Amino acid sequence: VALDRVFREHWARVLATLIGILGDIELAEDAAQEAFAIAAERWPRDGEPGNPVGWLIATARNRAIDHIRRQRVLAEKTRLLARGLTVESEAVDSEATVSESATFPDERLELIFTCCHPALALEARVALTLRTLGGLSTEQIALAFLVPAETMSKRLTRARHKIRDARIPFAVPPDHQLPDRLTAVLAVVYLVFNHGWGGGRVDLATAAIQLGRALSELMPDEGEVLALLALMLLHDARRDARIRDEELVLLDDQDRALWNDQQISEGRELSSRRSRAARPDPMPCRPPSPTCTCSSHVTGGRSRRSTTPSRSRPALRSSSSTGPSPWPSSMVPRRAWRYSTAWSSTTIATSTRPAPSCSVEPGETTRRARHTGARSSSPRPTRSAGP
Amino acid sequence: LVEDFFGRSCPSEPALFVRYSILYRSVSGEIMQYALLAYGSQRTQAGPVEPAIASVLARPSVTAWARLHGEGSATSVRNGDGRMLLTDGPFIETKEFLAGIFVVEADNLDAALAIAQDLQDTRTSGAIEVRPIAEASFRGA
């Protein structure tokens, strides 16, 4: 049970750093899994190390190096091994000698931008993000999207190989690309949330909120990130009140006693933080926004009696489609900009995007995401997730 | 605080990062080659390359390029019954066909896509497919 917690808390962090070190998602995933398995065996016996993340990363890294040594076939990886051997010979039996103070860079942000790269198919982005950052198993993801596990496994493998072969960079995009790329990331997170929320899959909604939390931790100044997290929390707060006798209960008819106060206050806090964020941005909490809708109802009092006749409709709809609307991008008109013309965050901020009408339940819109592609050179040094 | 290979500061043991820098470098050091396959329905114009395209082609990162004659000039070679079978026309008969090939060097996919975007900006239709090159050899000129 404690290891469950350890896995949930540390999987993404450990995997991201390993990909940064090893430069290969598949290898890093295998090694991370091995490290967690070793931890499952040892920690109950020897106690949890003081620096569990460092321990897991170091253990996984050494496993990976072992693995590479066994697989001398690929010249590229053998080259890596030559370096790796020095690492290992210096840190003999690193499992025991991982320094308590050793910290590794947190590269979850690099990882999420890699997984949500527009060069990958949308379904692949969603699946890969759930796998790498959400820690869901292939079977769980397959179940969520109603496809056979084998199909999902192939989809994931294909995505990993494309990242490696086409060398999709393992990096946070430079500033001039960030708005578009961030929109693509948020679309994936919101798609996951919608799939969980609209389709009644609590675990996916929770995974999306976790991703949102991780993003808001990593990019605390991005208004769009805070707004998305607020949106998800405010929607999720009404989860228990939303369905009664397998029927969807609309907002006005919901039993407010079932709303989650803590999530509501967190969502409101986030949305006010977002309004205070230094960079003015057009996303997405413009009236009518979920915050306004929700908070107005909240301030109106939980005991407010419904004045409208009861309306409800079947809660369960087919969730065999890829998923309902990821609004961040579907609401964003494809911008006709040229990277060669100078444009800055100011032009982004002033570009107009229609405000999403979020009083609509997120699951009810059906537009699919359309992403703008990568359009510019990257002046910053970037690392590849491929060998 | 120490800086890692990418100039990000991290609270850490410097020694660890020196070691990781070596690993990072081994992962990121090599330049990739990409083939940019330009598809379109327009006939290749005879005569000099348009200045807009020429300026892209003149970049050092563009290591090879070829303009192809129209699909009407294509001949496809197949094997059949131990004999060579020739077909008049392209392998895949489509409305849009391969019009040109560019080979570029780039650090990663994003950089290759940026060049493709610049090339596509000079065209009014069609698309450019970007494919990483697994192995290549260029001789002559």
Side-chain angles (χ1 to χ4, degrees), chain A residues 103-106, chain B residues 1-5 7-14 17:
Chain A
T103 49
F104 293 84
D106 187 343
Chain B
L1 288 177
V2 295
E3 276 192 352
D4 71 2
F5 181 57
R8 298 169 299 194
S9 49
C10 322
S12 172
E13 291 181 331
F17 275 94

Side-chain angles (χ1 to χ4, degrees), chain A residues 276-294:
Chain A
R276 289 196 304 268
R279 187 154 74 109
D281 66 55
M283 294 280 279
C285 278
R286 283 198 183 149
S289 75
T291 323
C292 304
T293 313
C294 202

